[in-house]
Amino acid sequence: MRFYLTTAIDYVNNRPHLGNAYEKITADVIARYKRLSGFDTHFLMGNDEHSQNVYKRAHERGLEPLEYCDQMEREFRAVWTQLDISFDDFIRTTEPRHKAAVQRLAQRCFDKGDIYEGQYEGWYCVSCEAFKQERDLVGGACPLHATQTPEWIREKNYFFRLSKYRDALLEHFHAHPTFLQPEARRNELLRLLEGGLEDISVSRAGQSWGIPLPFAPDNTVYVWFDALINYAAAVGYGTDPSRFDACWPADLHVVGKDITRFHAVVWPAMLMSAGIALPAQVYGHGWVNFGGQRMSKSLGTSLDPTDVAHRFGPDPLRLYLVKEIAYGGDGDFTWERYEERYNVDLANNLGNLVSRLAAMAEKYRGSRLVAAGGGGRLAQVADAALARYRVSMDGFALHDGAAAAFQIVDASNEFIAETAPWALAKQAGDAGRLDEVLFEVAEAVRIAAVLLRPIMPGSAAEILRRVGETTMPDALRLDQDGAWRGTDVRHITKGAPLWPRVEASKSNDVNVAGATKRPSQKMEMSVEETPAGTLGTPGTPGAPAVPATTPAEDSRISYEDFMRVELRVAKVLTAEAVPKSKKLLKVTVDAGTEHRTIVAGIAGAYQPEQLVGRTVVIVANLRSAKLMGVESQGMVLAAGPEGQPPTLIACDPSIPPGTRVR
Ligand code: MSP
């Protein structure tokens, strides 16, 4: 039984944010669940490198595009490793295997008569790397990239006959009702298909960064046509036919809702044209916002997943994203909610359960527990939870799979409270019952950890070690290891608390400096009086231990902190006074990829006409604000002695607009 799954490949013009990480984490949970279920799983991820933004970013950094992409590959891999993402292969679109596949597939479509030469005239959003129709824009702007003005382009393009495949696609959707999930996405695209499809451009003129069309090498393959082919390229299309035959079709493409159309309409049509089988399923997940706002570098609302993983380690983050967001829908991350869930689910609930079990096993049975029968109430709970878990995970209701595992944890805590092992231990006649109770809890915790293994791999492995599971974590199989074991001897190991309780930091800032404070702890209490989450000393298996000291009072920031402020060179195009203001001028600037209006407090030093043509430095990722009724999209840097009007920070006029200040 094989299972080949993929995620979207990321643009590398920025480091990944928490939204990109959400996709990789949830796909990893699916991959790990499939392995746990006995599938021979192949999990592909990668980077999408042939985008205009990537090319531009490389030049801003003074690097050759490939050199820049090499650096970004290292950064991306480091983030994914930190989040414990278990990908088997990582493809880059600049690799020879990818180029070979793209050229082969493009040639197949051309030979079939599905690619023809034409003229494109219309809008293009560089951030989406997508051709836009008038109806896709809101107030003239791309709804996903409101601060960027779409470009009007007119160029010779090669077109793909997407319209020709509309009926075949509709048929495929109807014959395979689960081809696109969740249902809301499927319905959305069914409506789109019913409305008819237009042919799409598959090449760009005058772009050197990309793969040449094999039949017209002066033209570069459009980045989306290029990128989609990675899924076939990675398993040998165009380079290794026998491997491709063995691995294709893919079982599942996990992608975000914004790009589902490319995967469930364009990609299948390309495959039909080239005579290749279609992937079995596409899953279009929802988006994660940060504090209710769309995550965006340019809007300054982006959150670095490594900052979040530093707080408690990767597993609490993975659990939060999987358990708190119904898969398929949108969700939100705030530091407050994250800390709250950490305390409730991990410190108080699961962590405390593991600590109490180990403490009681040691105190009453020298850490050796012997099964004394078939299992009582917890065995039934575990059976029911396993059944719910399978159905949920098979149907990609990952949040419900997590809830099923926690059903066992909750029931175990209730069971301890009701059976009161400390009271049983006081009566010699209750010794048999105490054996049963302790073993039952240990077995329930073991099964909960097996179920949590795909979601919290490091922590689950540590819990399994502590409850005496002898099978290596990677060798666990749901069929045998998820079932109740009624006859066994268990050696329980005590350890530091997995998740020490923290005091809420009440901060929703991206900066997590305050988050490294050591949480308050109580130590060495007796088993009975142990309140939730307070036993022992800090230290976490999957998560790095919380530092024992507050960082020194040092207000200096790291280079990464500095790079969060996006300073860019811009050229003033127009300037005018702001009515009724002595200090403010309204300027429009060319910021490289867009024009912006900025209100600047520099009227004391300049007449508006003196500014036109000046090269200035702006803060490009400042949230928009209204000043004297005018919306300002950024800030112009200026300085002046106390009490005197500020003058512009000088900038060499030869530096092109859009260049990043570093
Ligand atoms: N390069 C294309 C994908 C090509 S796949 C053949 C691309 N890259 S991306 O970097 O912009 O996005 C990568 C993935 O991250 C996409 O699936 C996208 O939907 C997802 N997400 C981007 N922002 C997100 C959130 N805020 N939340 C969840 N997923 C998000 O598109």
Side-chain angles (χ1 to χ4, degrees):
M1 276 191 314
R2 48 171 288 285
F3 195 86
Y4 173 30
L5 83 159
T6 69
T7 65
I9 52 173
D10 296 285
Y11 290 132
V12 295
N13 45 317
N14 286 308
R15 279 169 60 78
H17 57 53
L18 190 69
N20 308 126
Y22 173 67
E23 175 173 295
K24 305 328 179 222
I25 287 172
T26 54
D28 185 57
V29 170
I30 297 171
R32 288 177 181 272
Y33 169 70
K34 291 291 172 188
R35 290 189 196 113
L36 185 64
S37 304
F39 285 84
D40 174 13
T41 304
H42 186 68
F43 177 22
L44 172 73
M45 290 181 16
N47 282 350
D48 191 354
E49 302 183 332
H50 288 136
S51 113
Q52 272 176 258
N53 283 319
V54 171
Y55 183 79
K56 218 177 100 217
R57 190 54 53 95
H59 278 269
E60 285 166 11
R61 298 223 178 149
L63 297 172
E64 284 305 314
L66 195 55
E67 202 183 349
Y68 169 77
C69 292
D70 289 346
Q71 276 186 11
M72 292 310 277
E73 184 202 6
R74 286 193 286 276
E75 289 202 28
F76 272 72
R77 278 180 181 267
V79 174
W80 304 143
T81 303
Q82 197 176 352
L83 298 177
D84 221 348
I85 310 291
S86 62
F87 55 86
D88 298 295
D89 189 6
F90 194 89
I91 189 164
R92 295 176 51 184
T93 54
T94 46
E95 284 178 55
R97 62 172 168 164
H98 180 73
K99 182 177 171 190
V102 169
Q103 294 201 316
R104 183 173 167 78
L105 201 139
Q107 187 68 51
R108 290 282 290 264
C109 299
F110 183 72
D111 294 345
K112 181 92 177 276
D114 285 342
I115 292 183
Y116 63 93
E117 203 174 345
Q119 179 85 19
Y120 178 80
E121 182 163 7
W123 297 109
Y124 190 82
C125 172
V126 179
S127 288
C128 291
E129 287 286 12
F131 300 90
K132 298 274 171 180
Q133 312 223 336
E134 202 71 47
R135 62 166 183 263
D136 298 330
L137 306 178
V138 177
C142 165
L144 291 179
H145 303 101
T147 56
Q148 296 237 341
T149 318
E151 286 175 11
W152 182 263
I153 58 172
R154 187 165 192 280
E155 60 187 36
K156 194 188 85 177
N157 278 177
Y158 281 85
F159 285 79
F160 173 67
R161 292 189 203 282
L162 184 62
S163 55
K164 174 177 158 188
Y165 291 96
R166 181 250 192 191
D167 291 349
L169 285 166
L170 261 177
E171 217 169 278
H172 189 79
F173 268 66
H174 289 304
H176 302 87
T178 58
F179 171 62
L180 173 59
Q181 289 290 299
E183 220 39 38
R185 273 344 139 236
R186 173 179 146 82
N187 291 335
E188 197 183 302
L189 287 198
L190 271 173
R191 298 296 86 78
L192 180 100
L193 287 169
E194 282 157 8
L197 294 174
E198 285 175 24
D199 294 350
I200 56 163
S201 287
V202 292
S203 73
R204 296 293 315 272
Q207 307 238 344
S208 56
W209 180 235
I211 299 173
L213 272 180
F215 46 84
D218 290 344
N219 298 269
T220 300
V221 177
Y222 166 49
V223 64
W224 264 103
F225 195 84
D226 163 338
L228 288 162
I229 298 169
N230 87 87
Y231 306 125
V235 289
Y237 181 73
T239 51
D240 186 346
S242 54
R243 175 153 190 242
F244 185 66
D245 287 347
C247 299
W248 194 260
D251 293 277
L252 176 67
H253 294 317
V254 175
V255 297
K257 63 179 182 180
D258 56 322
I259 61 169
T260 308
R261 188 174 55 92
F262 285 106
H263 286 80
V265 174
V266 178
W267 176 227
M270 287 163 62
L271 291 168
M272 284 175 183
S273 170
I276 303 171
L278 305 199
Q281 209 169 14
V282 175
Y283 194 90
H285 62 75
W287 273 30
V288 181
N289 297 322
F290 176 34
Q293 302 207 46
R294 194 173 77 78
M295 228 168 295
S296 145
K297 270 261 149 120
S298 55
L299 298 174
T301 51
S302 171
L303 189 54
D304 191 320
T306 57
D307 282 345
V308 188
H310 275 136
R311 180 77 172 100
F312 303 125
D315 284 348
L317 170 61
R318 292 172 62 110
L319 180 70
Y320 177 91
L321 293 175
V322 170
K323 186 162 173 280
E324 296 309 303
I325 302 172
Y327 202 44
D330 291 341
D332 197 31
F333 179 95
T334 64
W335 286 106
E336 286 89 343
R337 175 100 182 123
Y338 183 45
E339 287 166 358
E340 185 192 310
R341 293 316 310 169
Y342 167 88
N343 277 337
V344 172
D345 285 333
L346 295 176
N348 291 1
N349 204 358
L350 178 57
N352 192 43
L353 174 64
V354 174
S355 295
R356 295 178 87 190
L357 169 67
M360 291 188 292
E362 182 188 50
K363 188 166 175 182
Y364 306 131
R365 290 292 180 266
S367 296
R368 186 172 180 273
L369 305 181
V370 182
R377 181 146 53 86
L378 286 185
Q380 285 168 21
V381 171
D383 271 2
L386 175 65
R388 173 182 170 191
Y389 176 82
R390 279 185 196 278
V391 171
S392 304
M393 298 297 277
D394 286 337
F396 305 123
L398 307 184
H399 53 289
D400 200 55
F406 271 83
Q407 189 183 336
I408 305 177
V409 177
D410 292 339
S412 301
N413 273 322
E414 280 163 25
F415 185 71
I416 293 175
E418 280 166 25
T419 52
W422 46 92
L424 296 175
K426 287 182 184 143
Q427 306 293 330
D430 286 333
R433 178 65 185 141
L434 181 59
D435 283 337
E436 279 170 14
V437 165
L438 291 181
F439 187 87
E440 201 164 334
V441 173
E443 181 58 3
V445 171
R446 188 190 67 76
I447 293 178
V450 171
L451 270 48
L452 285 171
R453 165 83 178 152
I455 304 168
M456 308 176 70
S459 311
E462 173 61 11
I463 295 172
L464 288 164
R465 187 186 71 80
R466 291 190 191 189
V467 297
E469 171 63 72
T470 49
T471 307
M472 294 311 284
D474 285 342
L476 291 168
R477 291 293 169 265
L478 204 52
D479 280 343
Q480 73 232 22
D481 301 308
W484 192 269
R485 292 182 196 151
T487 53
D488 214 345
V489 176
R490 234 17 92 67
H491 292 277
I492 308 295
T493 306
K494 237 176 139 181
L498 297 167
W499 301 285
R501 198 180 155 74
V502 293
E503 302 303 333
S505 71
K506 288 274 177 253
S507 157
N508 207 30
D509 289 348
V510 176
N511 184 342
V512 291
T516 49
K517 280 203 189 92
R518 183 183 188 172
S520 57
Q521 300 274 319
K522 286 188 188 168
M523 295 164 71
E524 301 305 321
M525 298 177 80
S526 72
V527 170
E528 303 91 286
E529 60 193 352
T530 303
T534 55
L535 195 77
T537 52
T540 308
V546 179
T549 52
T550 312
E553 295 292 327
D554 183 348
S555 59
R556 285 175 301 174
I557 59 171
S558 67
Y559 179 71
E560 282 192 346
D561 288 335
F562 166 68
M563 288 306 282
R564 290 208 176 97
V565 181
E566 217 180 295
L567 298 177
R568 289 193 184 277
V569 174
K571 200 169 216 89
V572 179
L573 302 171
T574 64
E576 59 187 271
V578 171
K580 296 195 199 131
S581 171
K582 287 199 184 113
K583 289 190 182 160
L584 300 180
L585 290 180
K586 176 180 159 188
V587 295
T588 52
V589 297
D590 173 1
T593 51
E594 64 194 325
H595 293 174
R596 288 188 185 205
T597 302
I598 299 182
V599 178
I602 49 176
Y606 303 95
Q607 292 301 317
E609 56 277 12
Q610 288 176 283
L611 292 173
V612 176
R614 293 280 289 255
T615 302
V616 297
V617 176
I618 65 165
V619 181
N621 61 343
L622 196 66
R623 258 182 221 138
S624 301
K626 272 211 166 145
L627 299 171
M628 300 289 284
V630 184
E631 169 129 333
S632 181
Q633 302 162 321
M635 179 177 167
V636 176
L637 293 194
E642 201 52 44
Q644 289 184 36
T647 54
L648 294 170
I649 301 292
C651 184
D652 186 330
S654 68
I655 303 175
T659 307
R660 184 92 191 247
V661 177
R662 295 173 278 136

